[in-house]
Amino acid sequence: MPKEPEFDLTNAAEANGKFSRREALKGALLSVTSLAGLSGIPGQANAQAQTSVQLPAASAPAGRRLHPFAFSASTRKVQAWGVKGKIYPHAFFQEFLPALVDRTLVFDDFELGDGGAASWIFTGPRGGFTVEFTRGQILLTQRYYDSAGLVPLLKHPPSNYFPELLCDSSTVNYQGVVRSVRVTLDSRLGLALFVNGREIGRQVSVLDVERHQLAYTGEKPNVRGALLEPEIESTSVAVHPARRRQTIIGFGGIATPTAYVQLSAEGKRRWWELLSEYNLLLQREFPMGKRLDPEMDNWDRLADASPHYYGDNFPNGEVSDFPYLKSLREIGGQVMFEFWQMPLWARQREWKDASGAIHHDVPNPEEFARAALDYCRISKQRTGSPPDYIGILNETDEPPEIWDQMTMGLRQALDRAGFEKTKIYMPDRPTVGKGIQTAKDFHRLQRAWDVIDFSAVHMYDYQDYFTDPDGFDRTLEEWHRLTEGKPFLSTELCVNRTQYQEQSYRLALLMGQLYHKNLTLTAASAICYCWLLVNVQQPTFGWTRTLFVPDPSAGFVPKASSFQLRVFGGFSRRVREGMVRVEAESLNPDVLVTAFAGGRGAKTVIAMNRSLKAQRVRIDWPGASFPFKELTDPYHPNTVVENSGAPGDGSIEMTVEPGSIVTLSNVPLTKLPADFTVPA
């Protein structure tokens, strides 16, 4: 992590005097869904949650001591800017914390004076958390401080120098002597507090933190100790190139034309450069659907785009841009076509199934096939090729017999029209759970299963497992068992739950675990984020649902919406179409590794450390060398770093920090051709 110049911590006089504010924080408590405290009740903030513990009579844990600190009655108080009266100088720990945090303070003395409070304060770009000790009591609080909207407008705010609002609070009463305090912030959105080796508090937290410090307020303290040096573990990974798995098609998502049109000329060129660099060459079309004319002459009429309204954002709609698709094909891109809502003229008001039950407003299989065929024809005329893949509707719930008729009718229509090379994939359900049911229906309707070329599903139910990502594995394994034999297109992944729409690297890392699971547990050949480019006004929507947004403040150029891009890029940038995943065995289940091999000796290894400890990783791949090394973490957006450990003998050692992703490769990034013509 980046370091700042060291200086004498005991002489630091910079402080803001806000660290003893227990009553003020309690008064400002805001109940927030999805946050859990010591009561263990999900979805509740816990201002009143209290428990009482007897601390173990443990000695301070062993380890190398760093940054000693001392607060005592003999310590001279200082006058700091913005503070009334004098305070004890804080102990400022100069490190920048990794994405996942595991830090321990050890105490030689821990005696609090009358009214005294010792606070361990962690801060990040949007908020932070504090562990505060008073006599016999510990308070664990989380807070946001990133918006003036956190305090009432036109009302006299508290005597603070910035807005702040508490979002979770837990209290523990304790007996005993404090010898050590440990805090962890893990890859499962867990914030845990340990005292003398015993866990005494746990909350859910989506906050990222970067810095930490120690403060004391009150009189006559005797608090002395040090920060323990974080541990480094060792592990190894063996790559077996002969054990070949799925062939990769690529990575991508939906770049909506209603957002692309906002980009300036400079922004559009930059967009194509980014698509090439990040290898996002799968365009998942959301073509004109509900507003498609019966004559089907408005596929790319921007004014007719079927609007999708999200909050107060401007519409992002279903519509096509054929010049865009033609340019995408020129740089090696592929197109996935999929209706969401069929127009009224392509539906049946009533349809009776074999049991006699009446279903309303179901698709007309013949009209569906006719519309898809028309799109293929105009796409070939305007771009030179029909879509590469066609899906049987997006996120709709139809009777299985209708799925069967749509699948068979589409395949027959494509073949008769000469589009035999266009592949089709099964209906795209919003969750794997629903996809499993559809897969069972397709197996029962055997002819439809035989006709489809790919399985496909969205994975929004993964959000049910954000605090236990591996709990989702059984669902993914069942999906793979039911669909084995059909290559898998993972067609839509993102975060759309209200409580998780946050600009958080740890949330992006949770999605990174899902990308790894897609590649290993479900053998995905393609992975698509939901949106690649969306027009947003409310930034929280853009933070987790799209990888890029137009940036009006910089001249309408595309910019990364959040940390989601860099984590997705950790997988996409150096894994090309046609590469094959090969088996990689990691001895540490928290060091997630995927490996890929391709033509002309192409090789890529992606290693993600989701553990709380830095990992010294040895990777053995006979005959491999990796001239390129990319680092992805809160401070490095897919940054190419010096790779001194690439001797070419098939073995490399590297240190992967907690929460970091390291990509090793001999595959250069793709650059936009110099003569590329940017579509308007």
Side-chain angles (χ1 to χ4, degrees), residues 487-521:
F488 172 46
L489 306 177
S490 187
T491 44
E492 187 170 313
L493 306 175
C494 81
V495 181
N496 65 1
R497 299 278 175 90
T498 299
Q499 66 268 37
Y500 297 136
Q501 292 186 47
E502 174 62 274
Q503 195 175 25
S504 163
Y505 178 84
R506 289 167 57 243
L507 273 173
L509 190 70
L510 270 170
M511 294 302 292
Q513 294 181 60
L514 182 59
Y515 309 147
H516 173 85
K517 294 175 186 295
N518 269 241
L519 292 165
T520 57
L521 297 181

Side-chain angles (χ1 to χ4, degrees), residues 395-396 428-432 434-435 457-461 492:
E395 294 191 346
T396 65
D428 240 339
R429 305 309 304 280
T431 65
V432 182
K434 290 184 177 181
V457 78
H458 303 170
M459 295 189 174
Y460 287 108
D461 42 348
E492 187 170 313

